């Protein structure tokens, strides 16, 4: 059994959409890690294009969080596996750019799978997977200053349309761990504008204030992930 990710027919005529879809296939093919969903191929039949992906059973992390805070003894192994997936991707020069609970699945045996590299990009100057060149990844797919990703988990530099790098994913990781432990989002707002303002200007309530059993060290780790300036964050997923 496999999962098929299909590009709707209306998009197959759009060269940008097609390029992003094919790029996702090649980026995934370059990553081989137990915590990253695998790809088996890119198929085309009767004008329909589909990524043939590993079928990952189980709820998304977003589904789990909806049920309330995740106990630390469960949340920490999940967080560690997400960090290991990021480390593997970043070592290959791949930045996810859309890391969020809905793109993470937790299998029955506790294995975490990071999915959906549809907005992934390659670091400039990094060895690209076969068939992918860094300029193709960025050119034409998102204009200079375009916002790609999901607002609640986006780093300040992403919201300002600046270059995303590994530290951008680390910010999203911090927001995810915060939400797992507290059951609340690190940043919120009643509108897109107020949410963006919160991410750019406000510090989240310390996790230990919302969950008194949170270890001080975990609070510190997540706070560092969520620093506004990328220079003040952990500099790699390996550090995390």
């Amino acid at each position: 059994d496999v999962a098929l990710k299909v590009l709707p027919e209306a998009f197959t005529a759009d060269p940008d959409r097609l390029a992003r879809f094919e790029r996702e296939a090649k980026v995934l093919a370059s990553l081989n890690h137990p915590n990253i969903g695998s790809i088996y191929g890119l198929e085309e039949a009767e004008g329909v294009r589909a990524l043939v992906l590993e079928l990952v059973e189980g709820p998304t992390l977003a589904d789990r969080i909806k049920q309330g805070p995740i106990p630390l003894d469960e949340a920490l192994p999940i967080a560690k596996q997400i960090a290991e997936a990021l480390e593997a991707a970043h070592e290959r020069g791949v930045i996810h750019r859309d890391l969020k609970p809905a793109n993470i699945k937790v299998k029955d045996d506790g294995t975490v799978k990071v999915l959906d590299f549809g907005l992934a990009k390659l670091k400039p100057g990094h060895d690209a997977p076969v068939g992918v060149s860094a300029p193709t990844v960025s050119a034409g797919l998102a204009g200079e200053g375009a916002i790609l990703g999901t607002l609640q988990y986006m780093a300040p530099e992403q919201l300002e349309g600046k270059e995303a790098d590994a530290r951008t994913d680390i910010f999203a990781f911090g927001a995810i761990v915060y939400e797992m432990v507290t059951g609340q989002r690190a940043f919120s707002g009643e509108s897109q504008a107020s949410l963006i303002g919160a991410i750019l200007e406000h510090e989240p309530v310390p996790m230990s204030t919302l969950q008194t059993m949170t270890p001080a060290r975990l609070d510190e780790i997540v706070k560092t992930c969520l620093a506004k300036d990328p220079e003040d964050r952990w500099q790699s997923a390996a550090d995390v």
Side-chain angles (χ1 to χ4, degrees):
D1 289 341
V2 296
L4 296 180
K5 183 173 183 178
V6 177
L7 190 63
E9 201 173 338
F11 294 152
T12 54
D14 180 341
D16 282 356
R17 292 271 190 173
L18 199 54
R20 185 177 292 171
F21 197 66
E22 291 179 351
R23 187 189 77 229
E24 181 180 1
K26 289 168 180 171
V27 164
L28 270 178
S30 77
L31 302 174
N32 182 18
H33 191 271
N35 297 123
I36 296 174
S38 301
I39 183 165
Y40 304 128
L42 172 62
E43 301 292 335
E44 184 172 3
E46 298 174 11
V48 177
R49 285 174 183 256
L51 301 183
V52 184
L53 303 166
E54 177 184 1
L55 178 62
V56 184
E57 304 283 7
T60 67
L61 193 52
D63 295 330
R64 296 283 292 275
I65 292 170
K66 278 178 192 166
Q67 298 168 15
I70 299 175
L72 277 176
D73 60 353
E74 200 179 335
L76 290 177
I78 291 173
K80 187 170 184 290
Q81 291 179 75
I82 298 168
E84 287 171 352
L86 287 180
E87 181 183 9
H90 294 166
E91 281 177 355
R92 298 287 303 183
V94 176
I95 315 299
H96 191 289
R97 289 203 298 183
D98 194 24
L99 193 69
K100 58 187 177 184
N103 283 342
I104 298 165
K105 280 203 162 192
V106 184
K107 295 170 67 175
D108 289 343
D109 65 1
T111 304
V112 170
K113 294 280 186 178
V114 176
L115 311 172
D116 202 346
F117 280 74
L119 292 183
K121 62 163 279 192
L122 286 160
K123 284 192 281 191
H126 203 281
D127 288 341
V130 177
V132 181
S133 63
T136 314
V137 169
S138 54
L141 294 178
E144 190 67 34
I147 293 179
L148 290 175
T150 304
L151 285 176
Q152 280 88 354
Y153 309 96
M154 289 177 68
E157 65 272 16
Q158 248 181 321
L159 293 171
E160 292 171 339
K162 295 175 183 172
E163 189 73 29
D165 62 22
R167 298 169 298 181
T168 308
D169 282 348
I170 288 169
F171 184 94
F173 171 81
I176 291 167
V177 176
Y178 186 101
E179 196 172 339
M180 279 200 291
V181 172
T182 67
Q184 297 182 30
R185 286 181 169 163
F187 304 98
S188 58
E190 293 180 4
S191 66
Q192 280 196 357
S194 60
L195 175 57
I196 290 170
I199 294 170
L200 294 177
E201 297 167 17
H202 301 160
E203 296 295 336
V205 176
M207 292 194 301
S208 52
T209 302
L210 300 171
Q211 285 290 337
T212 52
M213 299 301 286
T214 305
R217 183 67 178 136
L218 182 60
D219 233 344
E220 191 183 318
I221 290 168
V222 171
K223 185 179 179 183
T224 305
C225 289
L226 294 174
K228 307 297 184 195
D229 186 340
E231 294 295 332
D232 295 332
R233 287 177 216 146
W234 303 105
Q235 297 298 292
S236 73
D239 290 344
V240 177

